[in-house]
Amino acid sequence: MKPAGIATGSDALDHILAGGYAKGRVHLLEGRPGSGKTTLAMQFLMAARDRGEGALYVSLSEGRDELLDSAATHGWSLEGIDIYELIPPELSLDPSQQQSIIYSSDLELGETVQLVMDHVQRGKPSCVVFDSLSDIRLLAGNSLRYRRQVLALKHFFSGLGCTTIFVDDLTEEMDDANLHSLVHGVIRLETTPVVYGSNRRRLQVFKMRGRPFRDGSHDYIIRTGGVEVFRRLIANEHVEGFVERPPAESGIESLDSLFGGGIDRGTSTLIMGPAGSGKSTLAMQYLIKALERGESALFISFDETRRNFFRRAAGLSMDFAQHGDRFRFLQIDPAELSPGELSSLIRHQVEMEDKSAVVLDSLSGYQNSMPAEQFMLLQMHELLTYLNQQGVITFLILAQHGLVGQMQSQVDLTYLSDSVLLLRFFEAFGELKRALSVVKKRTGGHEASIREYQITPEGVRVGDPLRTFSGVLTGVPTFVGGSGELLNTL
C-alpha cells in the first residue's frame, strides 16, 4: 500500500515529491552547513503543528535558544513544537549525570540514543526531526557502528509510526557509510558559489520509494519567511488549451504587413539587432496596442530601470501607467535571481494575472543568470514551449555586437523562435537610417521586403519597401536609390 503524503511545509517541494514525505517513513535531508536544512526541517514541523499533530525537534548540536532565534529571523514562532536539546552526560552540569571516569565511545553512543528514545516514547510525536547524524557519526567512532546505529534508529521511529527526517551536514562523507539505502527518501540541498552575485542553491531528490517524484535540479532560495523552492519547469506538463484569437497587431499597418497580417498567438518572436536600433521600442509598440485592446502584458527588464523605462515610453507617446495592473514592469538583477525563480515568476504572471504578452529584455542579461550557455538554451526551450502552450505572445530581445558591418550574437536562439525580426543601421545621404525585415515566420507567410523605420516622439513609423536597398543579410547594408524613397525626417 502506498504511504500517505505528509506536507513538507513547501508547496513546491510537495509537488516535486509527488505528495510530500511518506507517512511513517524515515527520510534523509542532507547538505553542507548553511544550505538551509534546519530551516526546511522547521517548516516541516510547523506544518505538522498547524495540522494539530505532535512535532518534535531533537537537536544534538544547536541549543534551544539558537533554534528559537533562527525561527524568529523568519518571523516564526515554534510554540507547540517540542524542542529536545540533547546534552551528552559528560557535558551536563547536572551532578547526577556526571561520572568520575572517562566515558568510552560505546557508553556515550548508547546513552545518547537511549535519551532520544525515552523522550520520543514519552511524547509520542507523529513528526520528528533528528538533527544531526554527524553527531552520531562522531560518537560511533567507525562506519560500521554508525550504520548499524542509524538503522536501529530508523526501525525505532518507523515502529512508532513517526514521519521522520534525519538531517546530515555532510561534513565527513564516507562511501561505506552511505545511508541512502537505509532510508525511504533522500533530498540533498546544494550551494554553488559564483564569481559575482548570490550563490546558486539547488535541491535534488535522489530517492523516494514508490513515488514518481520529479528528479533533476530545482532552484531554491533562503529568504525571510523560509526556504522557497522553485520546481523545474517541464512544458509538457502544461497542455495546450487556449482559445484561438486573431493575430496580434502592432497598430502600424506597414509593420503588420511584414508579418503577414500580425503575430500569431502562442508564438515567440526574436527581435535582434545592434544597440540603439529600436528593439525594445518595437516590442513596446506591440504591448501598448495589446493593452489598448484590453489585454494584459508583462515587461521583464534585465538592463533598464523602471524609471528610465516609463520616461522613455512617455517620450514615444506610450502611456503604460494608465493601464494599471494590466501592465506589469519587473526590473530583474541577473546577479541575484536564479533561473528557476525567474521561470516561477513568469508562470505566476501568466497563470494568476492572465498576461497575454511577455517581453524578455534582453537575452544577454538572461544569459548572465545561467551557469552555462547550453543550460540557457535548454531552459529557454522549456520556457518558450510553456508560454506558447498558454497562448502567450513572447518577445525576446537580443543585442548583437557592433553597430554596422558584420554582426555577432553571444547566443543563437533563431532556431527556437517562431519569428525573427532583424534590425539594421544603414547610411544614406550623410544620415544614419534604420531598416527592418522579417527573416522567419514559422506559422505562416510573411513579407520578404526590407523597410525603413523611424523612432519619433509620436512613436514608430515604418515606410514602404526599399526596393533598391541591398546587402542587409551580408551585414553591410547599402542604399543605392533616390532620396524620395526614404522617410522624411520629422
Side-chain angles (χ1 to χ4, degrees):
M1 180 178 177
K2 178 181 177 181
I6 300 296
T8 65
S10 165
D11 292 340
L13 183 55
D14 290 343
H15 190 276
I16 292 170
L17 297 177
Y21 296 125
K23 185 176 182 180
R25 300 290 189 265
V26 175
H27 309 80
L28 179 62
L29 179 61
E30 58 184 19
R32 296 291 182 182
S35 58
K37 303 181 300 300
T38 299
T39 304
L40 193 58
M42 285 182 182
Q43 291 178 218
F44 163 63
L45 292 184
M46 288 192 298
R49 176 200 60 189
D50 295 343
R51 294 192 303 269
E53 300 178 11
L56 169 64
Y57 196 109
V58 179
S59 176
L60 280 72
S61 53
E62 287 190 85
R64 179 186 181 86
D65 291 341
E66 291 178 290
L67 291 173
L68 293 176
D69 289 343
S70 296
T73 61
H74 293 291
W76 298 338
S77 170
L78 298 184
E79 184 177 355
I81 297 177
D82 183 11
I83 300 176
Y84 182 49
E85 181 184 353
L86 184 62
I87 303 177
E90 72 276 10
L91 299 181
S92 175
L93 297 180
D94 183 357
S96 65
Q97 294 284 350
Q98 294 181 358
Q99 293 189 142
S100 59
I101 63 173
I102 299 176
Y103 277 82
S104 67
S105 61
D106 288 344
L107 185 57
E108 290 175 3
L109 178 60
E111 289 202 1
T112 298
V113 172
Q114 190 61 50
L115 287 171
V116 174
M117 291 180 173
D118 291 344
H119 192 87
V120 171
Q121 287 175 331
R122 287 194 299 269
K124 293 182 172 53
S126 59
C127 294
V128 177
V129 169
F130 190 94
D131 185 4
S132 75
L133 292 181
S134 61
D135 298 277
I136 298 297
R137 181 188 294 116
L138 293 174
L139 291 174
N142 63 73
S143 60
L144 180 59
R145 291 192 64 248
Y146 170 57
R147 184 180 177 89
R148 285 178 175 175
Q149 191 60 71
V150 173
L151 183 60
L153 284 171
K154 171 199 170 182
H155 289 316
F156 171 73
F157 286 117
S158 298
L160 294 178
C162 298
T163 305
T164 308
I165 296 178
F166 285 163
V167 178
D168 188 11
D169 59 17
L170 297 178
T171 53
E172 185 180 350
E173 294 187 68
M174 296 183 292
D175 294 337
D176 57 345
N178 194 302
L179 305 180
H180 290 198
S181 61
L182 300 182
V183 296
H184 191 84
V186 179
I187 301 171
R188 175 172 290 188
L189 305 181
E190 299 175 340
T191 302
T192 304
V194 295
V195 176
Y196 181 83
S198 298
N199 292 339
R200 298 294 185 249
R201 302 180 186 272
R202 293 184 175 84
L203 175 151
Q204 282 188 296
V205 180
F206 288 156
K207 172 185 177 182
M208 184 61 68
R209 288 173 179 161
R211 293 283 186 84
F213 64 89
R214 182 181 292 186
D215 60 3
S217 295
H218 309 271
D219 290 341
Y220 73 95
I221 58 174
I222 305 174
R223 56 165 52 131
T224 301
V227 172
E228 186 172 357
V229 181
F230 308 102
R231 66 181 188 266
R232 182 167 53 87
L233 178 62
I234 301 178
N236 289 337
E237 294 182 352
H238 304 271
V239 296
E240 185 172 342
F242 69 92
V243 179
E244 290 287 350
R245 289 186 291 174
E249 298 180 346
S250 65
I252 303 174
E253 184 177 353
S254 299
L255 181 57
D256 293 332
S257 296
L258 276 172
F259 280 100
I263 297 178
D264 294 321
R265 308 281 175 170
T267 63
S268 58
T269 299
L270 176 64
I271 304 178
M272 56 192 302
S277 58
K279 303 179 295 298
S280 301
T281 301
L282 286 169
M284 292 164 59
Q285 179 67 37
Y286 280 95
L287 292 195
I288 199 69
K289 289 303 174 182
L291 293 170
E292 292 174 359
R293 292 191 296 266
E295 301 176 29
S296 297
L298 170 66
F299 195 105
I300 296 179
S301 175
F302 292 92
D303 310 318
E304 189 173 21
T305 64
R306 182 182 188 87
R307 177 176 176 271
N308 287 346
F309 173 85
F310 282 97
R311 171 188 280 184
R312 180 160 62 93
L316 298 170
S317 301
M318 299 179 185
D319 187 0
F320 285 95
Q322 68 173 334
H323 298 285
D325 292 338
R326 288 192 296 109
F327 175 72
R328 186 65 60 91
F329 177 89
L330 297 178
Q331 180 183 344
I332 301 298
D333 184 351
E336 300 297 324
L337 191 75
S338 68
E341 186 176 359
L342 178 62
S343 296
S344 178
L345 183 152
I346 293 175
R347 286 188 56 201
H348 175 81
Q349 291 291 318
V350 170
E351 296 173 8
M352 299 293 104
E353 301 193 18
D354 196 29
K355 296 295 186 287
S356 60
V358 174
V359 174
L360 287 177
D361 184 14
S362 66
L363 291 178
S364 299
Y366 183 87
Q367 185 184 22
N368 291 334
S369 68
M370 303 300 297
E373 179 178 319
Q374 62 268 31
F375 299 140
M376 174 190 175
L377 295 177
L378 288 172
Q379 182 169 3
M380 184 58 67
H381 176 273
E382 292 295 323
L383 181 60
L384 292 180
T385 302
Y386 162 76
L387 291 172
N388 289 352
Q389 290 175 163
Q390 303 305 306
V392 176
I393 299 173
T394 309
F395 295 93
L396 308 173
I397 310 300
L398 179 61
Q400 295 181 294
H401 298 303
L403 291 177
V404 294
Q406 186 175 1
M407 302 291 171
Q408 294 181 346
S409 303
Q410 288 180 306
V411 61
D412 182 13
L413 282 175
T414 55
Y415 74 99
L416 286 179
S417 306
D418 297 302
S419 301
V420 177
L421 180 61
L422 184 64
L423 310 184
R424 284 290 184 265
F425 288 114
F426 69 97
E427 181 266 335
F429 304 104
E431 293 185 359
L432 193 63
K433 304 287 185 179
R434 294 181 173 93
L436 78 170
S437 61
V438 175
V439 297
K440 174 186 176 182
K441 186 180 180 185
R442 185 175 288 159
T443 57
H446 64 90
E447 190 177 289
S449 60
I450 300 171
R451 293 176 181 262
E452 184 197 1
Y453 69 100
Q454 288 181 348
I455 300 174
T456 72
E458 284 72 37
V460 178
R461 297 176 62 206
V462 179
D464 295 328
L466 297 172
R467 302 298 183 187
T468 56
F469 184 74
S470 63
V472 65
L473 296 183
T474 66
V476 188
T478 304
F479 182 72
V480 294
S483 60
E485 298 183 36
L486 296 176
L487 290 170
N488 294 323
T489 303
L490 295 179

